[in-house]
Amino acid sequence: MNGVEQALMFGVDSGTAILLPSLGEMVGQRAGVINLGTEGCMLAGALSSFIVASETGSIATGVVAGLVAGMLCGLLHGWLTVRRGADQLASGLVVWFLALGVTSVFGSGYTDRIVTGLDPIAIPGLSKIPWAGPILFDHDILVYVGYALVPLTWYALWRTRIGLSVRAAGERPEVVATAGGRPQLIQMSAVAIGAGLSGIGGAQLSLSLGNWTNNMTAGYGFVAVAVVLFAAWRPLGVLAGSYLFGVALATASVLQAHGVGVNQYLLDAMPYLITLTALVLLARRGAQQAPEALVRALTHAA
C-alpha cells in the first residue's frame, strides 16, 4: 500500500472520529443551539468508553458508556442554555473545560493500560474492490455506523415529523410553542442526542487506538463544529468535510512515517486553524443559511 492509499485509509478512520460528532452537532444546531463543548463531550466519551471496556472487557458496553457520557455533557449544556438562558458560546466552553479537568483527573490511572480495541471488519466482496475496497470497506464497526448515519440523519431531518419539529425549533421556537409544541424540550433533546454522537466519536478514537491519553481528542471537537458551518448544515456536506479534514490530518502522520519532516506545533495548531478558516468561509457565505434561532443566539452572544 503506497502513501496515498495509507493517507486515505487512515483518513477514513480519523474522519469518522470527526463525522460522528459533526452529525450530532448539526442536529443540535438545526434545533438552534451551538455546542462548543463538543470537544468536552468527545473527551468524556473517550475516557468513559475506555474505562468501561477496560474493566468489563466488553467493547460494546464501552461504546454505550461513551454514548451516555456524551449525552450527560449535552444535557448539562442544554440545561444551561435552553432552560437557564446562559450564553451558548460560554456554556460550551465551560463544558469543555469541565470535561478536560475531570478526564485528566480520572484518566490518570488509565494512561498505562491497553485494551483490545475495535477490530477491522472487512466487508465481503466490497473490501476486494481494487483500490477503493481497502480504503472504504476494511474498518471497524463504528466507521460503518458513520456511513449509515449520514443518510439516516438526512431522512430524519427532512422527511419525518420529528425532523420538521427540530428544524422548526431552530427557526422559530415561538411558532412551535404557539402550535402546542415544546420547543425547549425539542432543543434539549437534540443537543443531548448530538452530544451522544460526540461521545461515540470519542469512543471510536480511544477504542480504535486501544489506549487512553489525556486530551487525546486534540481539537477534533472544534473541527466538528467547523465542519457543520463549512457544510452549511447539510449531511452530505458534513460527510465530505469530515473526511476531507480526516485525510488532511492523516496525511501529516503518513508524511512523518515516510521520513518527511512536519512541524509538530503546526500539527497541534491545525484543528484551530481549520476552525478559523471555516468561520471565515461562513462569514463570506452570509448567515442566511443558518437556522434563525441559532443566528439570534449568536448575535445576542456577540
Side-chain angles (χ1 to χ4, degrees):
M1 182 177 290
N2 60 40
V4 174
E5 291 174 328
Q6 287 180 333
L8 292 174
M9 186 173 182
F10 296 154
V12 171
D13 284 326
S14 299
T16 299
I18 299 173
L19 174 63
L20 293 171
S22 295
L23 287 172
E25 176 64 12
M26 185 191 69
V27 172
Q29 289 192 26
R30 275 289 175 184
V33 181
I34 189 172
N35 183 10
L36 290 185
T38 297
E39 176 85 356
C41 298
M42 290 188 70
L43 276 172
L47 178 61
S48 299
S49 62
F50 184 81
I51 290 177
V52 171
S54 177
E55 298 295 339
T56 66
S58 171
I59 295 296
T61 307
V63 173
V64 173
L67 168 68
V68 173
M71 292 187 73
L72 290 175
C73 290
L75 285 172
L76 173 61
H77 178 62
W79 180 76
L80 288 172
T81 57
V82 178
R83 296 290 296 174
R84 307 303 300 173
D87 180 276
Q88 292 187 9
L89 302 182
S91 174
L93 293 176
V94 166
V95 170
W96 171 39
F97 283 123
L98 177 63
L100 180 61
V102 170
T103 55
S104 296
V105 171
F106 288 97
S108 59
Y110 290 87
T111 53
D112 58 348
R113 291 200 189 186
I114 297 176
V115 301
T116 302
L118 294 162
D119 294 323
I121 301 173
I123 302 298
L126 294 178
S127 62
K128 301 299 183 182
I129 298 174
W131 195 74
I135 293 172
L136 296 175
F137 303 111
D138 192 7
H139 296 279
D140 63 72
I141 185 64
L142 291 182
V143 173
Y144 304 132
V145 169
Y147 291 168
L149 280 177
V150 173
L152 287 176
T153 302
W154 174 85
Y155 183 82
L157 284 175
W158 276 273
R159 291 294 184 270
T160 68
R161 187 177 183 85
I162 293 176
L164 177 61
S165 298
V166 169
R167 289 185 290 118
E171 295 290 347
R172 298 289 181 87
E174 61 276 7
V175 174
V176 176
T178 302
R182 302 176 64 182
Q184 290 189 344
L185 178 61
I186 294 171
Q187 289 178 323
M188 288 190 65
S189 298
V191 172
I193 291 171
L197 288 179
S198 298
I200 297 178
Q204 197 268 346
L205 190 60
S206 62
L207 295 180
S208 63
L209 295 174
N211 59 47
W212 160 260
T213 56
N214 289 334
N215 196 27
M216 71 180 308
T217 52
Y220 277 35
F222 294 107
V223 173
V225 176
V227 164
V228 177
L229 304 179
F230 175 80
W233 301 273
R234 296 287 179 177
L236 287 179
V238 167
L239 174 70
S242 297
Y243 287 130
L244 174 64
F245 292 143
V247 170
L249 294 171
T251 298
S253 299
V254 171
L255 289 175
Q256 286 183 324
H258 284 76
V260 180
V262 180
N263 189 292
Q264 186 61 45
Y265 295 106
L266 178 60
L267 294 181
D268 293 339
M270 186 178 293
Y272 307 99
L273 293 175
I274 292 173
T275 302
L276 290 173
T277 301
L279 290 174
V280 170
L281 291 174
L282 174 68
R284 284 189 171 185
R285 289 185 185 183
Q288 68 272 14
Q289 298 182 66
E292 187 174 326
L294 180 64
V295 173
R296 290 205 301 266
L298 296 179
T299 302
H300 174 74

